[in-house]
Amino acid sequence: FSVESINNSLFKEIYKMKNVVKVTALALGIALASGYAAAEEKIAFINAGYVFQNHPDRQAVADKLDAEFKPVADKLAASKKEIDDKIVAARKKVEAKAAALEKDAARLSKADIQKRQDEINKLAASEDASLQKLMQEQDKKVAEFQAQNEKRQAEERGKLLDSIQTATNNYAKANGYSYVLDANSVVFAVEGKDISDAVLKTIPATQKTEEKK
């Protein structure tokens, strides 16, 4: 009799959301359409990943998502532990029946031995079916949780990227830059200024970071 345990690794990343807002495809190679004189174009570079990681709202967003999803994650972790305990209990129950039969086998008839073996097999099958149902329900809840979590991550990430886009556009226009390119995407350029820190300083913090107790 054996029952597969639930994969515990699913919850390791659910709990630790401090790095939940990740840069996946920061295509901030912004070719700014401008009305500047084409005689002398000014080119700037921005390290999109650096700006994103140091965004003034990034940590606050991570804390907010953590607070939003942790209660559900805790509930899922608790239900997983209950299932794990039931798996152990079911295994012990079946093993105890099997051990008792082995102990009594010498004084039992073949018919009685077969009867008890059938009872043990029936018990094992019943326990396994119940546990499989619980695990399927758990997997469904985890999948729903992960889908919602990823959706919210995408929403908050989008807001941060929009603010970076806006700040970059505004800085470039105010300082006469014709083009702002993602520094990580440029193979070679004769000249250009890195405006990553300058743009970062213009992004206002709109959310409050939660204090750790």
Side-chain angles (χ1 to χ4, degrees):
F1 172 68
S2 62
V3 181
E4 294 181 358
S5 62
I6 299 175
N7 190 343
N8 191 38
S9 64
L10 289 173
F11 297 96
K12 292 181 179 179
E13 293 190 6
I14 291 177
Y15 283 126
K16 298 182 180 179
M17 296 182 183
K18 299 310 173 186
N19 294 318
V20 77
V21 187
K22 299 178 180 177
V23 183
T24 55
L26 290 174
L28 290 177
I30 314 158
L32 297 172
S34 63
Y36 305 136
E40 187 177 345
E41 294 183 337
K42 291 178 64 177
I43 299 175
F45 300 99
I46 185 170
N47 187 324
Y50 169 80
V51 176
F52 186 89
Q53 290 299 325
N54 290 278
H55 193 293
D57 281 342
R58 194 185 69 83
Q59 187 59 52
V61 167
D63 291 342
K64 181 174 71 173
L65 290 175
D66 187 40
E68 182 177 335
F69 286 97
K70 191 175 185 300
V72 180
D74 287 345
K75 186 176 181 180
L76 288 173
S79 63
K80 178 188 176 300
K81 184 178 184 305
E82 289 179 4
I83 294 174
D84 287 344
D85 291 341
K86 288 181 179 180
I87 290 173
V88 173
R91 181 179 295 114
K92 288 182 177 179
K93 185 188 297 185
V94 174
E95 289 176 349
K97 292 283 186 180
L101 174 57
E102 184 178 359
K103 180 180 179 181
D104 299 339
R107 61 182 180 79
L108 295 175
S109 65
K110 290 184 178 180
D112 287 336
I113 292 176
Q114 185 61 54
K115 181 181 178 180
R116 287 177 62 172
Q117 285 179 336
D118 292 342
E119 290 175 350
I120 293 172
N121 291 335
K122 184 177 180 180
L123 173 63
S126 175
E127 293 290 343
D128 185 64
S130 297
L131 292 170
Q132 288 294 335
K133 182 179 180 180
L134 289 176
M135 287 188 287
Q136 289 173 2
E137 292 174 350
Q138 176 77 357
D139 289 343
K140 181 180 178 180
K141 292 178 181 178
V142 170
E144 292 173 349
F145 172 87
Q146 290 179 320
Q148 181 61 25
N149 180 269
E150 290 172 3
K151 179 182 177 182
R152 288 288 293 115
Q153 286 185 39
E155 291 173 353
E156 295 297 335
R157 181 169 57 246
K159 293 176 183 177
L160 295 181
L161 293 178
D162 285 345
S163 68
I164 295 174
Q165 177 80 62
T166 298
T168 303
N169 289 349
N170 292 340
Y171 184 87
K173 291 176 181 178
N175 291 274
Y177 287 101
S178 301
Y179 299 97
V180 178
L181 308 176
D182 187 345
N184 295 320
S185 300
V186 177
V187 177
F188 171 78
V190 176
E191 60 181 13
K193 180 180 179 181
D194 188 334
I195 60 172
S196 301
D197 286 316
V199 169
L200 192 57
K201 291 178 181 178
T202 69
I203 302 176
T206 62
Q207 301 192 46
K208 183 178 181 181
T209 302
E210 295 184 1
E211 295 182 359
K212 302 300 178 182
K213 295 182 180 180

